[in-house]
Amino acid sequence: MTDNPDEFIPTRQSLISRLKDWDDQESWRRFFDTYWRLIYNAALKAGLAETEAQDVVQETLISVAKKMPGFKYDPAIDSFKGWLFYQTRLRIADQFRKRRQAGAQNRRASDDAARTATIERVPDPASLDLDAIWDEEWRVNLMQAATARVKAQVSPEQYELFYLYVIKEMTVRQVASRLGVNAAQIYLAKHRISRLLKKEIGKLEKNGF
């Protein structure tokens, strides 16, 4: 376990700077680990199938890689969140376009009414509230990143107290009985970890997460 949780998740600016080097496999791994689920879940909630969402992740990362050599990150002009959303949104729209094209080909090959009805049910990405979907998934991803940093700072036992009481919403009596602790230990874990989470979320937001 590292004593410096910042080593797990560097600032967006420092990480993006290192991504300009395609051979920096460690930085690319961290980038993928940090953002793939965000992109994937946003694609799913936009109405894509799992395989289509996987393609969105892959194509978005390829697009990011191609743009990195000439990319200049300036938080004063645009947030990284907004830039990554734009790249993801284009790939989601591409998947809907491919779905329509495939459906049109099927329809020309067959007069099957069921196929026609299926194509008519394909959502229009322009009508989707992708901004709200992205904001929601971004908050989830932010919390996951902050949690990973906090877990590196506390003992597994203390985090389990917090997890059962705050996340799983078990009662103090249930947690105490299950783990053999007293109420004071549970409240202390809640107070400490809640404070650390708030601090880490603030740091991530400040660093352009």
Side-chain angles (χ1 to χ4, degrees):
M1 180 182 297
T2 178
D3 292 330
N4 182 11
D6 287 339
E7 292 180 6
F8 282 112
I9 305 173
T11 67
R12 297 314 100 200
Q13 190 163 3
S14 65
L15 177 57
I16 292 169
S17 177
R18 293 201 294 272
L19 293 181
K20 292 181 182 295
D21 179 5
W22 178 248
D23 293 327
D24 190 343
Q25 297 182 7
E26 176 62 19
S27 292
W28 277 104
R29 182 190 65 78
R30 289 186 177 184
F31 182 84
F32 178 82
D33 289 345
T34 302
Y35 292 111
W36 80 266
R37 192 173 297 278
L38 164 70
I39 298 169
Y40 178 76
N41 287 341
L44 283 181
K45 290 190 176 181
L48 295 177
E50 290 185 5
T51 55
E52 293 170 323
Q54 292 167 1
D55 286 344
V56 168
V57 173
Q58 177 177 318
E59 291 168 9
T60 299
L61 294 177
I62 290 174
S63 176
V64 168
K66 289 180 177 179
K67 294 178 183 298
M68 270 302 120
F71 179 70
K72 295 182 180 180
Y73 176 50
D74 187 351
I77 297 175
D78 189 17
S79 66
F80 179 73
K81 171 186 175 183
W83 183 78
L84 186 60
F85 171 53
Y86 176 73
Q87 302 303 320
T88 304
R89 185 183 192 121
L90 291 178
R91 271 71 229 176
I92 290 174
D94 284 344
Q95 288 301 316
F96 280 120
R97 190 177 303 112
K98 290 177 183 178
R99 190 191 291 187
R100 287 196 180 88
Q101 290 172 348
Q105 292 173 355
N106 289 337
R107 186 166 49 185
R108 285 194 296 268
S110 173
D111 290 329
D112 190 335
R115 288 184 182 273
T116 300
T118 299
I119 298 308
E120 290 173 349
R121 290 197 300 270
V122 175
D124 179 1
S127 68
L128 297 171
D129 191 357
L130 286 178
D131 293 86
I133 291 173
W134 186 257
D135 284 342
E136 178 184 353
E137 289 305 317
W138 188 271
R139 285 192 295 271
V140 170
N141 208 49
L142 175 64
M143 178 58 72
Q144 290 174 341
T147 299
R149 294 165 73 107
V150 169
K151 289 176 74 173
Q153 301 175 57
V154 302
S155 68
E157 295 78 13
Q158 192 169 44
Y159 183 78
E160 187 174 15
L161 290 175
F162 173 83
Y163 176 78
L164 293 177
Y165 181 51
V166 178
I167 307 300
K168 299 298 289 184
E169 298 183 336
M170 294 175 61
T171 66
V172 170
R173 178 173 295 181
Q174 288 173 326
V175 176
S177 174
R178 178 167 176 171
L179 300 181
V181 297
N182 58 47
Q185 292 172 286
I186 298 170
Y187 290 130
L188 180 62
K190 175 189 175 182
H191 174 74
R192 183 188 180 199
I193 294 178
S194 295
R195 179 173 52 82
L196 288 172
L197 274 174
K198 183 177 180 180
K199 177 182 176 181
E200 294 301 335
I201 289 172
K203 288 170 63 176
L204 286 167
E205 291 177 330
K206 181 179 179 181
N207 288 329
F209 181 91

